[in-house]
Structure formats: C-alpha cells, structure tokens
Amino acid sequence: MASKFWSNQADSETESDVSDHEEDYENEGQDDANVPDPNKYRIGDSDSDDSEVKRVVKPLKDKRFEELSMTIEQMKNAMKINDWVSLQESFDKINRQLEKVMRVTESDRAPNSYIKALVMLEDFLNQAMGNKEAKRKMSSSNAKAMNAMRQKLKKNNKMYEDLISKCRENPESFKDQEEADEDDVDDGFSSVSTEPSIEDTLSDVDVIDVNQLVWTTMMNKKDKLIEKQFKDPSQVTWDTVNKKYKEVRAARGRKGTGKLEPVEQLTFLTKVAKTPAQKLQILFTLVSAQFDVNPGLNGHMPINVWKKCVQNMLVILDILEQYPNILVDDTVEPDENETEKGTDYNETIRIRGNLSAFLEMIDAEFFKSLQCIDPHTRDYVERLQDEPLFFVLAQNVQSYLERVGDHKAAAKAALKLVELVYYKPQEVYGAMRNMADQSDDNIEESRTESKAFVNTPEVVPRKPSFPTSSRELMDMLVSFIYAHGDERTKARAMLCDIYHRAVSDEFSTARDLLLMSHLQDSVQHMDISTQTLFNRSMAQLGLCAFRAGLISEGHGCLSELYSGGRVKELLAQGVSQSRYHEKTPEQELLEKRRQLPYHMHINLELLESVHLICAMLLEVPNMAANIHDARRKVISKTLRRLLEINNRQTFTGPPENVRDHIMAATRALSKGDFQTSFNVINSLDVWKLLKNRESVLEMLKNKIKEEALRTYLFTYSSSFESLKLEQLSKMFDLSESQTHCVVSKMMINEELHASWDQPTRCIVFREAEHSRLQALAFQLTEKLLVLAESNERATEARFGGGGGGLESLSSRRREGQDYASVAGGSKWQDNMSYSQGRQQSGYGGGRSYGPGQSYQNRADQSRGGYQSTRYGGLEARGGQMDGSNRMVSLNRATRV
Amino acid sequence: MAMSKYDLTPRIAPNLDRHLVFPLLEFTQERELYPNDQILKAKIELLNNTNMVDYAMDIHKSLYHTEDVPQDMVDRRVEVVARLKSLEEAAAPLVTFLQNPNAVQELRADKQYNLQMLNERYQIGPEQIEALYQYAKFQFECGNYSGAADYLYQYRALCTNAERSLSALWGKLAAEILMQNWDIALDELNRLKEIIDSKNFASSLNQVQSRIWLMHWSLFIFFNHDNGRTQIIDLFNQDKYLNAIQTNAPHLLRYLATAFIVNKKRRPQFKEFIKVIQQEQHLFSDPITEFLACVYVNFDFDGAQKKMKECEDVIMNDPFLGKRVEESNYTVVPLKDEFLENARLFIFETYCRIHERIDVGVLAEKLNLNYEDAERWILNLIRTSKLDAKINTQTGTVVMEPNHPNVYEQLIDHTKGLSGRTYKLVSQLLEHAQAQAAR
C-alpha cells in the first residue's frame, strides 16, 4: 500500500534508468531556460509511457504532486547508482517543484513525501560520508557534487527540522498521513490506484522496504515461537536448546539476519540452558555475536551492548570458576555433545573459546569508543567511568588464566591492566579507585538475573581490587609479565613501566630501565602502537628529567621528537597539517585509528615549552662560546631555526604562543638578562600543569642564572683583565660558592682562559689569542692534515685498503663533511648526556631481559643512547620530514 | 649507630660464602659497630647451617652466659659426627690412594687415563670420586679449610663434570682465603675468572651474578695482597665487571674509588670512573665517592675537605680498608694514611689547576695541615717537580707558573703524525705497485 502512489511512475522509471544520464544532461540545459515546467520536456522526450500521460488528465494540484513524486523516484535511482551529479540536479528540481506544490495546495506545510525524501536523502548522505572507501573511488565531479549536496541539504533541512525529526521518530505515522493526504488528493481519481500490476512494478527500494517489514513481523513471530517453545520449563530438554542454538548459530552472519537478532535469541537461550557447559557455550557465541553488532571498522560498539558483553564475560568466568572441570580451549574442536554433560559430570569438559581474545576485543572496543566520543562532552566522562568495569574483568580473566596455567595469556591480560594504569599519576589513580568503590552498587543492580535453569552465583569478584598505590599495582603486574609474557607484551610492559616511573618522578630508575632493555635499538621493528608508546615514554622521560633539573638529559630525550616537526603524529595525539604532501584517505583513516583517547594525552604545550627551554639553556651559552663560527657545534637545530626566523622579523610583538615566549627569553638570556628571561618563561601558563610548580620554577630560575653567567663570561671575557667574584655573584644573584663552582668548571673544561687569584678572589683572564703568524701556521697545519687525509682516502679508495676499510672511510668522510657542524655537538652529547655506552651494554648482560643483546664495542655505544643528533641534523638539512632513525617514524611505517 | 652508618657488611654478606662472613663479623665486633649481642646472634645464625657446632655452642654460652646448650645443637653435633664418619668411609679408598706418594706419581696429565687407571688398578670409580667431593665439602663446613683445600685440589684433577669442577674451584678459593694464603688464592681467583669469562653461561644473569660474587670474594685478597690495589682496578674496571657493579652491586664502587685514589698511576681510567660515580650517585654514595664528586665534578673544595674527614671514619670501620698492621708497639692502618695523603694531593692538584696565586694559609687549611707543614709539603712537591710553582714568602703565597701550552710545541704536535702517515702511505703504495708488477 505504501508505494501505491509511486506505482504509476514505475514504467517511466524503468526506461529512465537506462537513459538517466543523457536525460539529466539535457535537463540541465533546459532547466535554466524553462523553469516553470521542466518535466514537460522530459516527458515529451521519453519514447514510451505516452499513454499514461495522455490517459489521465489530472488537475493541476495532482499533477504537481505527481511531478514531485517523479522527481523523488529519480532521486532514488540516482542514489542507487551513487550518482551525485544527477542527485544534485534532482534536488534542485524538487525544491522548485515544492514551491509550486505549496502554491497549489495553499498550505504552509511541506508534503510528507517531500519530507520523507529529505530524510532518505539525509540518511543516504550520511552513509556515503561515512563510507570513505566509496568516497575515494568517486570521480572528482561526483565527489564535488556530493559535497555541494551536503551543504545544500544542510541549509535546506534547517527549514524542515521539526518535521524531519517527527518523521524520524515516527515513520509509520508519516506513511499513514501521507496515505491520508494522498487519499485526499487522489479523491475521485482511483484510476491510478487501480493500476493492474502493482506488485510487478514495485521499485526495488520498495521491495526491500516491504521485505524488511515482513522480516520484522517474522522475527517477532519467531521470537514468540521460541517463547512458546520454551514456555514450559519442564519440557525444555538439552536437545531442544541445543537444536535451537545450532539454528541461531547457523543463521548468524547470513544475509538477511539482523545483527541484534541473534543476540536477543541467544540471551534468551542462556536463560533456558540446561547444563553449565551448555550455558557457557551459548554465552561464548553470544559474546561474539555481540561483537558483531559493531557497525564497522571505524565505529564502535554501542555502549550498552559493550556493558552487556562485559557482564556476559563475567558470567562466563563465574561458570568457569564454579565448575573447574570445564576447560576453555580454542585449539581443538570439541565433541558435539560435550555440553550435554551436566553438573554431576566430573571429567573435564572442553568448550571452544578464547578468553584472552575476547578480552582483547572488549578492550579494543572500549578504546575505540573513547576515540570516537568527543572528549569535551559528558558522554566521554561517563564512558571513562566504565574503566573499573573493564578493570575488574581483566583482573578476573588474568587470575583465571593464571590458575589454569596459561601464563602467556594471563600476561596479556595483565598487560591490559597495565595499559589502563600506567599513564595515571597517583592522584588520578586514587580517584579511579574511589570511584570504583562507589559505583559498585549500580553494577550489582544490573546484574539481577531473571531466573534461569542454570543458576550462576557470582563467584568472581565484581569489585576491582586496587592496591593503594599505583606503583604497587604496576610492580605486581609488570613483574608477572616479565616472567611470563612474550616479547611484545614484555616490551610494552617495560615501556609502560618506564612511563609510569617517569610520571612519578623516578628519573634514574626509568632511565636505567630504558637503557637496560635496549628498547631504543629494537623499537623500530615493532608495531606502530608500541612505537607510539615508546615515543610517549620518551616524552614523559624528558619531562621528568626537566622536573629533576637535568637539562641536558631532558633535551636529549625531547630533541628527537621535535626534530621532524611531526610531534603530534609521533605521539598519536592528532594530526598536524602538512603543506607539502597530501595524505591519501587510507593514511588518514589509519592515523585516525591510531589516535589516543584524549585523557591519555601528554600536554603538547608543556612538552614544547620544556623542550625549547632545555634547548635554550644549552644553546645560548654555546652560541656565545662559538660566536665566530656559529655553524660549528649546534646543540639544538630547532631552536636555532626558530631564532633565525625570529630575527628576520622586522617587528617583534609581545609573545603570544609558547615559541614566542621562549624566543623572547632566549633573546634576554643571550644578553645576560636573566631576570627578564625568567619572567617571560614564568608567564607561560603551562606551569600550572606541574605538580611541584614552585620547586620547578625555582630550579629553572637557578639554571637560567647560571647559564646567564656563563653566557656573560663567554661574551665579555675578552674585554676584562680581571673580574671580582663578589661582583659576579652579585650581578647574577648567585651565591659565591655557586659562582665559584660554575667558573671553576669552565676553567677546567678550558672553556674560559682564566684562573683564580685566590688572595684577592678575582678571576684573572689571560690572553689566549694567537698572533697572526701563529694563527696562519695553525691554519697551514690544518690544511696539511686535510691533505694527508685525502691522500689516504684516495689510496684506500684505489686499492681497497683492505676489508671494510673503504666503506668505513667513506662513511667517515661523509660525516666529516656533512656533519662537520654537528660533530662537535654530538661529541658534547657523548660527554655530557647519559648516552653512556658502558652502562647500557652492562645492563643488557645484567638482566635476563633481552638476553640476546651482546656487548657492543665502544664505538657503537657512544651512539647507542637514544640520542642521534647526527642523523637528526642531516635530515633537517635535507629538508626531509622523515623521522630520524632513532625516533620512530610513522610515515615510513604506513608506506610499508 | 653513627658508626655503622657507612657499614657495608649487610650488603656484602649476601654475596659471600657463610664462612667468609665470619671475618667481617669479627671485625665489626672488634670495632663495636653493633651491640655485641646482635653480632653473636648473627654468628649463631650463620653457624646454624654449617657443621661447626662446637663453635656455635661456645658462642651460645657466651651470649647467654650459661653452661647449658640447647638440645637441637647437641643433636646436630651427633648427626654431624655420624655423617662425617660415613663420608670418611666412602671416600677412604681414594684418600688412602692419594696419601700414598708412590701411587700419586702414577697419575698423569691425561684425565681419561687417570680415571681408567684408578678404576682398573685400585677399583676407584666415579662413586668414590664423588664421595671425595662430598667429603671435602663436609670438611669445609666443619671448618677444616686446609683439608678441604687439599681434597678439592685433588678432586679437580680427577673430576670430569664441569659444573662440579667449578664449584670445587669456588670451594678451594674460599678455603684459601680463609687460610689467608693470598698468593694461592689469587691464582685460584684468576682461574675462576677465566672460567666465568670464557664459559658460555646458561644465562647472562647467571654470569653477572658469578662476577659479582667473584668481585666480593676478591676483596679479601686484593686488600691483603701486596699488589692488590693495582689488580683490583684491573679487575673491577673492566667493562664487564664495571657493568656488573653498576647493575647489581654499586656498593663495590667504594673499593674501586679507594683503589683509584690510593693508586697514582691509574689516571687515564680515572676520568671515566668519575662519570660512573656521577651516574650511580642515586644508587650509592658514601663519603669516598662523594669526595671524588666534590673534587672533580663540583669543585667544591670546602666540601671535599669535610668529606675527607668522613672518609677517615669510613676507612677505619671498613673490614677491608681498615686492615690493621701491628708495628712494634702500636697499630696503624696503612691504607688510611695513604688515602689521606693522596686525597690531599688530589685536592691540591685540582685547586692549583684553576688558580694562579694561592695563600699558603688558606691552602694549609684546605689540606688539614698547619702552616709550617703545608709549606714544607708544598716545598717537597716543588722539589720533586710534581708542582710547577714558586713560593713567595713575602706575601705568603704560592704562585703557579703559567702552564699554557707553547704555540711551537702545539704546532709540532700537530704535524708530528704527518710524516709517519705519509711514510705509511708511500710504503703502502709501493707494496701495491710491487704486487702489481709481480702479477
């Protein structure tokens, strides 16, 4: 009945299907010229269907409606073949027609068919927008049309908002109303409705509609059937349940089976299952059916389904706990009637299933839902509160697997727990703990199961058990994983451990863990999410080092993250727009899927300011020391580049973002003005994110003073013959002993050509300048050395030198030339930062972790730290945005 | 318990053999670092798992001031004696064979031959050899170290099981240490080290643990042997061993640091070592390492001076460092004096490097000497040309001779290598040319 009205269009439609394109094409031209009645041409053009048009003489009102519905048909067709160009035209047309219809009917309410068309269009559009795959395949004109369509529709739909929503809420009423309307309209023109072959000419769309309608009724019927079948508990046998179960299982995934339907049926079946084993079996199928509800790779499972799923898992664990003779296994195909054995059966019963895989899926869905939900809404917070629910499940799964002896899987479950906790500082952890304690009641409530044949008492605890400190929990889990986990699990646990220690200000332990595990060598070969985790740990380690006042260490950790300018991608915290290369939709999609939920993010502003401050503290005195050949010894390329850009500006306004602040501070510091420098940095508002803000700022102030002193001495030492200690310390507001220490260090390291005169407490500078002749002589010797070296190289290149000599030489040469400017810097790193080869190699041997690592020789080690300024330097020069070799490059990985 | 603040016994003991802990406890008892009762209790605890029951009984008596001995000790004594008897019987054939000098001469270097010969002519099979090991071990447990050492030595000559051989070697080392045969102990130590370094251990963890044990045990030898202070640096400062220290036994840094300070010849490795100390300061620090940090990292000379005083305490209360030597009628701790002298020199050296003119009075204060002594000390240094300076008595200052590298010397240094390199290059060329010609 619903399609009665459209039926008369069916014939014309079949034909227009074929010539759709041309027709539309023609229409396009004619539409403009012939606004009042575009259909006239169209009808005239079409070779068939004359009879219909001629046969019925309709009043104007009816004719308008007919036109309208015809256009709707056209739109449907266009939708079917995904032709947005024609769809757009039809949409324009329908709007014009609408005006006419409204004029004719003299009502201010749009006709229902129009509203329905809008709804349909909207749905189709959303679907199309969601389907990126298809979108990409579209021709450019088509895609353009789609985008235009989206905009138009948006604008247009605003006018009919309430009608649309009404329609959505209650499509049936619209249908009825429509019919009623139609009846009104059709009054006396029953000839249309008595068209002979209604059924035959139903459009495909309608067939589906009807099908669905039929289907729903059928389903209801089926459900009722089941209910009836199982109404009498005494009659239910294992066999009937088993038969039904098999039926449902077979139907699952078949075309035409809804996604929610088997879930409902199985849920019912769990209540009537006869034996625990059977119930378990059904539950397993139920859980995997629930996973099917997930609409697609990019969407997430509906939250209520997720919660039910977790509850089902808990029931599974209950059963397993209660009947230890039931074993879960996914390697063997169990016997058909294995589940027949009842509670009194004491031998082992095997059920097919994989708990840890389910846990993984549930975790993935949780993660995805957090990715999808807008973090600034209440939904997000509510979703986050489900964390303890997952926590308890993972805990139970872990303890079960541990009991069963499947330590590897248990380690995986433990890793899930670790990943839930590692990024939480103690305060957040405590909050989660409290929340878990409180929110317990409503969980209980939802758990009241209606009476079932197999009662499953709650054996497994429903409350997560949190130790008071997150450290305790981490230690427990992590040591379990180290003992039993596979390589990836162990590596991830190690990274989480490092991260957590860094968060809780245990820098040296975190550093030792990182160096011991040799993860920085092997992380390139790991999967992307682990690489991201590694980057996150490094970032957190850098922050931790900074808080502890270890500036060069902090810089070492962070500089590589920033060397490529893609820090967002490296941390999976959003995508930075790149001007230079366009990403393909797949890449975009992949990146989107990798993103971390908002609550796990590391504050990027804080990270950037810490990185730049570290760079500033190191680079400013360094620049002052090498004022004459600035290109030697670059510590932070990033800072230098920023400074260059900043210096080019003709006018520098007051600082706005982090960079501006640091630039202003750098300028002040290079003049030795520590007070301004500190004030500018102090005005950054990221500091409020720090827990021990006061002490960090105090530390920072001290460092700035010291570096200002060093910069001052580097810059002006040549202008003094002597300087009083007292004066210096007053100048930089440092204690005398501190000043003495800083200056002494500079003397010992021969950065400053001076010595103390103890009785007068003065620094006496000495002339270290060479005379012209001497300078020239030095230059000569240097050139001689170069000559000798190139000679050697030439001979070796000619004769091969022997062994790998050639290769090593050429690589050395490259370094010598290309990295000349960086070489000094990296040497400095070797000396000062903790990329101490010895330590790492030692730890490799020292722990059972990573036993494959052998002792490397010294040469390797000096580069083995997580510092590779050299490579970083090269890249920046080459203008390539590829991540440096140590830092994980996501881009490279996606291309693979 | 201020005195026991820097005591390392609790950290060292787990890495030692039970019997090796006794000397440490004796020392702490002597220095009165802990209440006497505690030490005696610890001793009984230690003895519980050994066979030195008589000794345990004595200690028990002195601890509780009674003549009664708990029943379990008496029982244990009976048990020990019985077991000794049975082991003695089991090992008897081999022992008698070994005690016969004529028979022993029949043994050759070839192990297989020996085993065969023993088996054929004396009916001594693997069981008896195994019994010898057990017997030796039991002897060791009873405190009869010399007997144990002899048996273990002979056992090693006959043993084919590498694992057993290794533990026999450990036993031998312990016995020699306890008998204070430092030379032999040193030999055993080197033998053991070779095995540990060469053998492919089951796990690297195991290997590191063995190294740590070895280092702990070696402390006994190195601080008693004449040449020990050089050798301790040779051993501990090897990469593998230093790694082990950093990983699991950072407290050993104290001994290495002391050895470095006392030993003047080891400067090249010294700089590296300072870095290690800096790295590990969160894991372990005591006055000795802190002293080094003061002098070489922070240039805090006042702090260094304070630390020096603390170091003295540490050395006096350390069982290895504070070894006493009776000299005529008073005891001295030779290491302490040496340490202080060298530490002073360290401070002075660094101090002079960054100064041009120093007041002798200030210097004297920094060196913990009086004015006259300081002046004499400096004079001595200048005379032995350890210090390039002059004393200006009028102002009471030491004036450093400017020690800037001479430009000419620098130039010569730069170019010195050139001729050698060129020569090498030419010879290489010629060689190649000849090779070509010959072909």
Side-chain angles (χ1 to χ4, degrees), chain B residues 48-204:
Chain B
N48 265 349
N49 285 354
T50 69
N51 297 332
M52 293 148 81
V53 190
D54 287 340
Y55 187 33
M57 285 176 178
D58 288 345
I59 294 173
H60 184 88
K61 282 174 199 164
S62 73
L63 177 58
Y64 298 104
H65 308 291
T66 58
E67 281 302 306
D68 303 325
V69 175
Q71 188 56 40
D72 55 338
M73 277 193 186
V74 179
D75 292 348
R76 175 122 175 92
R77 187 168 196 285
V78 175
E79 190 188 314
V80 165
V81 172
R83 177 126 174 84
L84 185 63
K85 281 255 160 60
S86 75
L87 279 172
E88 205 170 353
E89 272 164 33
L94 191 52
V95 173
T96 38
F97 164 80
L98 290 169
Q99 275 162 355
N100 179 358
N102 293 332
V104 171
Q105 270 174 7
E106 286 177 48
L107 292 175
R108 296 188 196 168
D110 184 2
K111 257 188 198 175
Q112 285 306 325
Y113 167 82
N114 286 344
L115 289 177
Q116 207 176 344
M117 188 268 293
L118 281 175
N119 206 358
E120 284 168 8
R121 303 214 353 231
Y122 297 92
Q123 286 78 44
I124 295 172
E127 297 90 41
Q128 278 80 12
I129 296 178
E130 173 65 25
L132 181 69
Y133 173 80
Q134 297 295 351
Y135 184 56
K137 190 164 174 236
F138 204 80
Q139 287 284 353
F140 180 83
E141 302 270 289
C142 292
N144 179 5
Y145 304 124
S146 68
D150 288 346
Y151 293 138
L152 282 173
Y153 174 75
Q154 278 148 348
Y155 172 74
R156 272 180 47 76
L158 296 173
C159 155
T160 47
N161 182 346
E163 197 96 333
R164 265 291 150 75
S165 169
L166 187 64
S167 50
L169 197 51
W170 281 108
K172 179 93 179 5
L173 176 61
E176 297 296 348
I177 289 173
L178 287 164
M179 288 188 298
Q180 312 206 332
N181 293 333
W182 306 124
D183 283 322
I184 304 171
L186 192 61
D187 290 345
E188 301 294 341
L189 183 78
N190 287 332
R191 210 165 289 154
L192 202 52
K193 176 177 175 284
E194 252 165 54
I195 294 176
I196 291 172
D197 285 345
S198 68
K199 196 179 159 193
N200 291 327
F201 264 66
S203 73
S204 45

Side-chain angles (χ1 to χ4, degrees), chain A residues 604-623:
Chain A
L604 286 176
E605 254 182 37
L606 178 65
L607 201 64
E608 188 180 16
S609 39
V610 166
H611 167 238
L612 287 177
I613 289 170
C614 288
M616 173 185 88
L617 288 175
L618 297 173
E619 188 69 70
V620 168
N622 179 42
M623 284 195 302

